[in-house]
């Protein structure tokens, strides 16, 4: 790739320290950026205060540094970006592409069909709120033209948002900005050209591409890698009580992450040396 044409990112939520699964995500995105001679930025997605853990953001940054996963530029904290999210929501509303919804989750579940990520919103408030209903969430309109893209690892992906997801929330009933909107606005703000993240987020990508198109923003190239599962077959996560990464054992942690990504190191080495070897052997380094 030409110099300066790649900007990637790692965007953890500060709901707890990094665990083995989130370290894999950090390593994969770092490797892809460095293998392409690109920039690697870090964004702390601190948009959900009730779920955040005090000190988690600092702990995450410390873990990245302990594992030689050094980033470019300043860390972006989403809590500083609310004005940009509000502006995007107003743009969508002014264009008739977003509308107020007064439905509760229980009301939706009672009448909706089930899609890949839960109940598909049936469009109850598309033509306006019913008498006596107060606005709760803000939803973006979808359509029946499939969103299609080619993932750099998973291959062709195709999803009809209207029938499989429904008009989705961009501002939650509690007033917080929804992940789908915030990630799109911030990827554009940071000039992100390549997104490397876990396979659990693949189903979110068509929604993000839909928002990018509505807002006139560029669509990055996507690569969704496998995620670590626990003994019960669930994604390793803070919700499943995944233990935190031990910052005192960075070499062992990186070797395990690289092995999971299909790059078992030939021998033990310091973190920076392991990462340099892995970047030189990254199998996706010639991908667009």
């Amino acid at each position: 790739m030409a110099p300066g044409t790649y900007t990637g990112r790692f965007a953890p939520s500060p709901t707890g320290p990094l665990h083995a699964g989130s370290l894999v995500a950090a390593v994969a995105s770092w490797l892809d950026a460095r293998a392409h001679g690109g920039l690697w930025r870090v964004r702390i997605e601190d948009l959900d205060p009730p779920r955040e853990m005090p000190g988690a953001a600092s702990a995450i940054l410390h873990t990245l540094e302990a594992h030689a996963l050094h980033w470019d530029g300043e860390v972006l904290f989403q809590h500083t970006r609310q004005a940009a999210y509000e502006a995007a929501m107003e743009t969508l509303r002014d264009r008739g592409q977003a509308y107020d919804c007064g439905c509760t989750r229980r009301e939706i579940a009672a009448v909706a069909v089930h899609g890949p990520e839960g109940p598909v919103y049936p469009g109850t408030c598309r033509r306006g709120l019913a008498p006596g209903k107060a606005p709760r969430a803000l939803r973006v309109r979808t359509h029946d033209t499939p969103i299609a893209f080619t993932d750099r690892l998973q291959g062709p992906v195709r999803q009809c948002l209207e029938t499989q997801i429904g008009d989705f929330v961009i501002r939650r009933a509690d007033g917080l900005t929804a992940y789908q909107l915030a990630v799109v606005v911030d990827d554009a703000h940071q000039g992100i050209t390549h997104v490397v993240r876990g396979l659990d987020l693949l189903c979110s990508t068509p929604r993000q591409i839909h928002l990018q198109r509505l807002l006139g923003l560029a669509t990055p190239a996507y690569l969704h890698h496998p995620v670590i599962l626990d003994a019960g077959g669930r994604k390793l996560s803070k919700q499943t009580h995944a233990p935190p990464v031990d910052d005192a054992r960075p070499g062992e942690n990186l070797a395990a992450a690289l092995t999971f990504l299909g790059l078992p190191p030939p021998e033990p080495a310091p973190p920076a040396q392991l990462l340099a070897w892995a970047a030189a052997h990254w199998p996706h380094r010639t991908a667009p």
Side-chain angles (χ1 to χ4, degrees):
M1 297 182 65
T5 60
Y6 184 115
T7 301
R9 49 78 162 173
F10 176 57
S13 299
T15 54
L18 294 186
H19 52 75
S22 47
L23 182 64
V24 163
V27 169
S29 61
W30 189 95
L31 288 177
D32 200 59
R34 298 313 189 212
H36 288 91
L39 300 175
W40 189 65
R41 304 201 182 280
V42 171
R43 179 167 73 232
I44 300 295
E45 298 195 333
D46 53 349
L47 277 182
D48 197 345
R51 295 182 59 242
E52 292 165 18
M53 178 184 294
S58 295
I60 288 169
L61 297 178
H62 180 271
T63 295
L64 294 177
E65 291 180 323
H67 289 76
L69 294 165
H70 304 300
W71 57 88
D72 298 297
E74 295 184 359
V75 175
L76 180 67
F77 289 82
Q78 283 192 327
H79 76 265
T80 67
R81 299 274 298 148
Q82 194 57 46
Y85 308 145
E86 292 293 340
M89 285 187 269
E90 285 308 305
T91 294
L92 294 171
R93 189 196 291 275
D94 290 346
R95 294 174 179 173
Q97 296 162 338
Y99 62 89
D100 290 319
C101 174
C103 301
T104 66
R105 289 186 180 182
R106 180 176 297 181
E107 290 169 339
I108 295 168
V111 297
V113 299
H114 198 79
E117 291 208 335
V120 176
Y121 183 68
T124 308
C125 299
R126 261 192 170 197
R127 294 177 178 82
L129 296 172
K133 280 285 187 181
R136 290 172 54 83
L138 184 67
R139 293 183 181 272
V140 67
R141 295 181 188 275
T142 57
H143 50 67
D144 61 2
T145 301
I147 302 290
F149 70 101
T150 300
D151 186 87
R152 291 172 52 208
L153 182 59
Q154 305 302 324
V157 178
R158 184 181 177 92
Q159 186 182 79
C160 180
L161 291 177
E162 187 174 74
T163 58
Q164 294 180 269
I165 301 294
D167 296 348
F168 56 93
V169 171
I170 54 176
R171 185 174 62 224
R172 296 170 12 180
D174 58 9
L176 297 179
T177 302
Y179 162 76
Q180 305 293 357
L181 180 81
V183 70
V184 164
V185 172
D186 287 339
D187 278 348
H189 173 70
Q190 293 188 285
I192 303 303
T193 61
H194 292 69
V195 173
V196 176
R197 59 189 181 188
L199 189 57
D200 55 309
L201 289 169
L202 182 64
C203 194
S204 288
T205 305
R207 275 169 279 179
Q208 293 168 19
I209 293 174
H210 180 58
L211 285 171
Q212 289 157 3
R213 292 173 179 174
L214 293 179
L215 292 167
L217 304 175
T219 295
Y222 290 96
L223 186 155
H224 291 83
H225 59 77
V227 297
I228 299 179
L229 304 178
D230 64 14
R234 300 171 299 177
K235 175 199 168 188
L236 200 65
S237 68
K238 302 177 186 77
Q239 288 72 33
T240 58
H241 310 293
V245 167
D246 184 354
D247 290 345
R249 304 169 61 185
E252 294 175 48
N253 299 333
L254 284 174
L258 291 172
T259 299
F260 178 80
L261 290 168
L263 288 170
E267 58 186 10
Q273 188 174 329
L274 283 175
L275 291 172
W277 172 86
H281 293 82
W282 182 241
H284 311 292
R285 64 189 181 279
T286 58

